[in-house]
Amino acid sequence: MITLTNIHKRFGDSEVLKGIDLSINKGEIIVIIGSSGTGKSTLLRCVNFLEQADQGTITIDNVAVDCQLHSKSEVLALRRKTGFVFQNYALFSHMTARQNIAEGLITVKGWKKSDALARAQQILDDIGLGDKGDSYPSALSGGQQQRVGIGRAMAQQPELLLFDEPTSALDPEWVGEVLALMKKLATQHQTMLVVTHEMQFAREVADRVIFMAEGNIVEQGSPQDIFGNPQDPRLKKFLNMVGIE
């Protein structure tokens, strides 16, 4: 359903992604782990052209985009297939929670404002924030803001949800509620590509765990394989550093 082929990305003299190949099945939950600076977040951002890869092809369903040769309409079509959850929430501060969720439905999908706001309220109810529709981000906890961010991505009904370290900016007491919502999405067979440092989440939720190092996919497999029987010395070292023997 989703295929990344030979994805390369450079920043100046630094080659951050060195030819990534990855296929993701519908409903599959893939968690990417690895040390900081290995290209995990860059890969995620290249999938929906928040960053433009220098080379390669990205295919989601019937939309295939060449990273070197593409039109604006092709990129827009690809973005409409994805939803992105940022580590710093990226909510509009001048909009309420309900308006934040509705905005994409209005501007991207062309919904009537009343319909979009009604759908946004349904999503708030689903994510346990039904009473926060009129609250502005400044009045919400970090965990609540991130849940609104996930709700905003869900509203687009994307083929692929991209999560870029969704708990890294949260105080410890708010991490659980965000992970719980992601686990709920997993039970609904939402296709997800998740960059995270939450190893327990990867163990419990991922269908496949990918370990990246030095701009490459070094090892991938089931959580049982990656955490219980790592093969590559770099993966063994990483797991030891994060306290997994």
Side-chain angles (χ1 to χ4, degrees):
M1 184 196 76
I2 298 156
T3 307
L4 312 180
T5 306
N6 196 31
I7 302 298
H8 289 259
K9 178 63 179 176
R10 301 184 72 94
F11 292 108
D13 294 332
S14 176
E15 189 175 16
V16 180
L17 299 175
K18 301 176 181 177
I20 299 293
D21 292 313
L22 177 62
S23 294
I24 306 170
N25 297 315
K26 188 174 180 63
E28 192 173 17
I29 296 144
I30 294 182
V31 173
I32 305 177
I33 63 172
S35 301
S36 297
T38 57
K40 307 184 303 297
S41 291
T42 299
L43 176 62
L44 215 63
R45 294 172 70 86
C46 285
V47 171
N48 77 338
F49 275 76
L50 284 172
E51 295 281 359
Q52 182 177 329
D54 300 317
Q55 182 182 337
T57 304
I58 299 166
T59 305
I60 301 180
D61 284 348
N62 59 343
V63 178
V65 181
D66 186 309
C67 295
Q68 288 178 297
L69 305 170
H70 56 265
S71 65
K72 287 184 178 180
S73 62
E74 288 174 330
V75 172
L76 182 58
L78 187 77
R79 284 179 173 162
R80 283 177 171 159
K81 298 278 188 181
T82 68
F84 203 101
V85 178
F86 299 85
Q87 52 184 296
N88 62 348
Y89 327 137
L91 300 180
F92 294 113
S93 61
H94 65 289
M95 293 184 179
T96 65
R98 189 185 299 110
Q99 290 168 334
N100 263 284
I101 292 174
E103 182 66 13
L105 294 174
I106 297 166
T107 59
V108 177
K109 297 217 165 182
W111 284 34
K112 286 171 50 181
K113 185 175 181 180
S114 58
D115 292 340
L117 289 170
R119 175 61 182 140
Q121 185 59 50
Q122 288 178 342
I123 290 172
L124 285 168
D125 293 339
D126 288 345
I127 64 178
L129 294 174
D131 61 339
K132 300 294 185 182
D134 294 322
S135 298
Y136 289 90
S138 60
L140 301 174
S141 71
Q144 290 170 337
Q145 289 185 63
Q146 190 59 294
R147 284 155 66 193
V148 172
I150 294 172
R152 177 179 57 188
M154 289 166 52
Q156 304 297 316
Q157 295 185 300
E159 296 294 331
L160 175 65
L161 261 180
L162 302 160
F163 292 84
D164 185 13
E165 300 190 20
T167 61
S168 66
L170 295 176
D171 291 334
E173 63 264 34
W174 307 124
V175 170
E177 65 186 58
V178 171
L179 293 178
L181 176 55
M182 293 172 68
K183 290 175 183 178
K184 179 180 177 181
L185 286 174
T187 66
Q188 298 168 359
H189 306 293
Q190 169 68 58
T191 312
M192 297 193 282
L193 184 59
V194 183
V195 171
T196 186
H197 292 293
E198 299 287 342
M199 296 300 127
Q200 193 58 36
F201 176 82
R203 281 181 185 270
E204 293 176 5
V205 178
D207 295 307
R208 188 168 18 136
V209 178
I210 288 173
F211 173 67
M212 285 185 66
E214 301 163 1
N216 292 298
I217 293 175
V218 171
E219 194 167 332
Q220 59 180 303
S222 68
Q224 293 81 4
D225 289 338
I226 293 296
F227 294 111
N229 188 29
Q231 301 298 309
D232 191 277
R234 288 168 290 182
L235 174 55
K236 293 177 181 178
K237 181 180 178 181
F238 171 78
L239 293 176
N240 189 53
M241 285 173 55
V242 299
I244 299 175
E245 299 293 340

